[in-house]
Amino acid sequence: MRRLESIAVSLIVALTLSGCASFQNREWGSCAVAGAVIGAAAGGITGGVVSNNEGADDAVRGGSIAGGIVGGAAIGALLGHVICDPVKEEPKPAPPPPSPVGTKISELPGANFDFDKSTLKPEGKTRLDEAVALMAKHPDMKVSVNGYTDSIGSDAHNLKLSQRRAETVVEYLTSKGVAANRLTATGHGKANPIADNKTEEGRARNRRVEIVVR
């Protein structure tokens, strides 16, 4: 009986060590139960056969059968669990909360637009790639792309220039997979300056495009 119990314990330890990852990634279910039932039956029969072969008396035979049932059930349950119990589903990380309406998610400052130009520079594309990644995480997010200029030039000219800058940004975003119906391009000309237009530095800051959640 002791030999049978020792074998059972050794097998259980071996299975536990070799199948550690399987235990962690599986849910205990019907396969473990079925394995325990089959293992208990097989273990009990094995215990009886072994004790009979050794010429054991009734008391020893009963102990061997009981030990075989316990050991067989444990081994069967472990085998059934490892072989076919369902694998646990990994919890999906919650998406980051959407940005509230009115939140500025990107800004292309004057350094990304030359004076009187609407061509997007490489630095501006890098900033826009960040906005693309954010919008990919929030497929329902819609934004306003607002273009601005400095104060040099007529109102009509600056409105057209700021519109072209906004449309340039929209074209880049759509080229990266953002749906056009999520974007609205609007030129505001020299309105809403964020710096003093009396200095070159200030005017450079005012030549910008802002992407705002709507």
Side-chain angles (χ1 to χ4, degrees):
M1 179 178 69
R2 290 179 179 176
R3 184 174 66 184
L4 184 62
E5 291 175 349
S6 177
I7 293 172
V9 170
S10 299
L11 285 172
I12 292 170
V13 171
L15 284 170
T16 302
L17 293 176
S18 64
C20 183
S22 296
F23 296 149
Q24 295 177 352
N25 296 329
R26 292 181 182 275
E27 298 177 355
W28 289 91
S30 58
C31 287
V33 174
V37 172
I38 296 172
I45 293 172
T46 302
V49 171
V50 170
S51 60
N52 283 334
N53 290 339
E54 293 179 349
D57 56 27
D58 290 342
V60 173
R61 185 181 302 106
S64 295
I65 293 173
I69 290 173
V70 172
I75 295 172
L78 290 173
L79 284 172
H81 177 65
V82 171
I83 292 172
C84 69
D85 271 339
V87 177
K88 294 178 182 177
E89 291 186 4
E90 293 294 331
K92 296 180 179 179
S99 302
V101 173
T103 300
K104 187 189 301 182
I105 64 172
S106 186
E107 178 177 324
L108 305 184
N112 294 305
F113 293 101
D114 289 328
F115 174 71
D116 205 31
K117 301 291 184 182
S118 61
T119 303
L120 191 60
K121 293 185 176 181
E123 297 87 349
K125 294 179 180 180
T126 300
R127 284 176 175 262
L128 289 179
D129 289 340
E130 296 172 359
V132 170
L134 179 61
M135 295 187 72
K137 294 179 181 178
H138 300 287
D140 294 329
M141 178 188 291
K142 295 183 179 181
V143 300
S144 296
V145 181
N146 301 317
Y148 299 92
T149 68
D150 59 32
S151 61
I152 298 176
S154 67
D155 289 347
H157 175 78
N158 282 325
L159 277 174
K160 292 179 181 179
L161 176 59
S162 63
Q163 182 69 30
R164 291 201 302 273
R165 285 175 176 168
E167 290 174 353
T168 295
V169 169
V170 167
E171 289 173 3
Y172 183 83
L173 294 176
T174 55
S175 73
K176 293 295 182 176
V178 180
N181 61 5
R182 300 173 63 191
L183 308 167
T184 301
T186 305
H188 298 274
K190 61 180 73 174
N192 303 323
I194 59 174
D196 190 350
N197 273 307
K198 293 180 181 179
T199 66
E200 174 55 34
E201 181 182 359
R203 290 192 294 273
R205 290 186 61 195
N206 290 331
R207 296 193 297 269
R208 71 195 191 280
V209 171
E210 297 178 353
I211 302 176
V212 180
V213 178
R214 59 181 172 87

